[in-house]
Amino acid sequence: MKGERKLIRYDAELEVEAYRFEGVAQPFPNHFHDYYVIGLLERGERSLSCKNRTEDLRSGDLILFNPGDNHACAQRDGGTLYYRAFNVSRRVMEALTEEITGLRTLPAFSPCVIRDSELACCFQLLHQMVMEGSREFEKEEHWLWLISRLLDHYSRPFERPEPECPTEIEVVCAWIQEHYME
C-alpha cells in the first residue's frame, strides 16, 4: 500500500526481533504466535480482539501477547496504524524471568492492553535504540527495567505446563508450514 512501511531488525545482544509498522491500514485477521509480543500503538485507533475479548486501542497503549494468545485487530478511525513491537522467544523470556526473579519460569501477562505512560516512554526509547543498532550498555539496562516492570505488575507464572502436542496437530502444523505460500 502507498505510504506503508514495515521495518524489522534483530538484536543479537538482547536476542529479540524488533519491528515497526508505519501507515498500515489493513486489518490483521485472527491469529496467534508461539512467542511473546510486547508492542506499542504509537498512532491510530484500533479495535483489538484478544482471547475473545474486544478492546479499543488508542495511541500510547502497550500490548502484551503471550504465546498462543489468539488476537486480531482493525482500524477504527479510518486512519492508519503506527506500531512498534518486540518478539521475544520463550527461551529468552524464561532466561530473563530467571535473571530478574530467580525463578526459571515463563510468565503469563495480563491484561493484554496496558495504559502506563512511563512504561510506554521506556519502551519507545528502547525500541529506537534497537532499531538504530545501538550497542550501548544503556540499552540492556532499559530492556531489563522494562521486563522487570512487566513481570512485577502485569504477570503471573503459567499455572500448568503446556500439554503434549497430539500427533494429529503436529501433522496439520507440518502441512501448513509446507503449504502456507499456496
Side-chain angles (χ1 to χ4, degrees), residues 83-163:
Y83 173 77
R84 56 177 74 212
F86 292 114
N87 293 339
V88 185
S89 71
R90 291 171 188 242
R91 178 188 59 77
V92 169
M93 187 60 76
E94 185 175 54
L96 285 165
T97 302
E98 182 177 31
E99 182 176 347
I100 293 166
T101 69
L103 302 172
R104 189 157 187 84
T105 185
L106 288 171
F109 291 112
S110 181
C112 65
V113 177
I114 298 170
R115 294 191 170 105
D116 181 327
S117 59
E118 183 182 15
L119 200 56
C121 265
C122 175
F123 176 93
Q124 197 166 28
L125 176 62
L126 172 63
H127 195 277
Q128 191 63 39
M129 293 171 85
V130 169
M131 294 302 283
E132 291 172 353
S134 172
R135 299 187 54 83
E136 297 292 323
F137 179 72
E138 184 182 13
K139 176 181 71 176
E140 185 177 351
E141 288 179 325
H142 282 303
W143 180 239
L144 290 172
W145 184 87
L146 175 74
I147 298 300
S148 178
R149 176 99 177 220
L150 291 173
L151 290 171
D152 285 348
H153 297 283
Y154 305 104
S155 80
R156 58 178 167 62
F158 276 133
E159 295 174 353
R160 60 188 190 283
E162 288 186 40

Side-chain angles (χ1 to χ4, degrees), residues 65-85:
F65 298 130
N66 298 299
D69 284 355
N70 66 306
H71 57 280
C73 71
Q75 205 66 21
R76 286 186 314 122
D77 62 357
T80 57
L81 170 70
Y82 287 77
Y83 173 77
R84 56 177 74 212

